[in-house]
Amino acid sequence: MNTTKFHQLVEQTWQQIEEKIDDDGLSVDTEIQGAVCTLTFDDDSQIIINKQEAMLELWLASKLGGFHFKFIDNEWKTAEGRSFWQHLEEAFARHGETISF
């Protein structure tokens, strides 16, 4: 994958997240600055999703810890094969919100 495609995929992912939060009416603020997407919850806790261009990875940090994802078989997955979306749903739950992607 080239860097242009990588950035497109990450931005599509961020857009999906923003749209789902809006559609579900969740009280979560989304801010994208450069290579970082920050999701801030009512209690000021955060989920951070950032681009790691050098590695062509998407990183997720939350109360559950940090995880790295590569785009494999048309999906962001950990080295163990777990989906980005599974991790994100679990992270939202840990931050007190229910969401399903």
Side-chain angles (χ1 to χ4, degrees):
M1 169 186 343
N2 64 37
T3 56
T4 300
K5 181 66 174 172
F6 168 74
H7 287 288
Q8 289 173 342
L9 290 168
V10 172
E11 288 164 19
Q12 287 172 359
T13 301
W14 288 351
Q15 184 177 3
Q16 283 180 265
I17 294 167
E18 283 185 297
E19 288 175 359
K20 184 64 174 165
I21 288 169
D22 288 344
D23 290 348
D24 286 7
L26 299 180
S27 182
V28 179
D29 292 326
T30 305
E31 181 180 358
I32 298 172
Q33 288 186 342
V36 180
C37 174
T38 304
L39 308 175
T40 304
F41 295 79
D42 281 342
D43 64 358
D44 290 328
S45 64
Q46 296 180 327
I47 294 174
I48 308 293
I49 306 164
N50 64 310
K51 300 178 188 181
Q52 292 297 318
E53 181 179 314
M55 302 172 81
L56 299 178
E57 291 183 348
L58 185 64
W59 289 7
L60 170 68
S62 74
K63 289 181 178 180
L64 298 176
F67 303 93
H68 301 190
F69 303 87
K70 287 193 175 284
F71 202 74
I72 303 168
D73 299 328
N74 291 319
E75 186 176 0
W76 293 106
K77 295 181 182 181
T78 63
E80 298 79 28
R82 289 207 66 223
S83 162
F84 168 80
W85 299 112
Q86 289 173 310
H87 279 281
L88 188 58
E89 288 175 4
E90 291 170 8
F92 265 77
R94 181 68 189 268
H95 287 264
E97 293 283 355
T98 302
I99 195 166
S100 179
F101 290 96

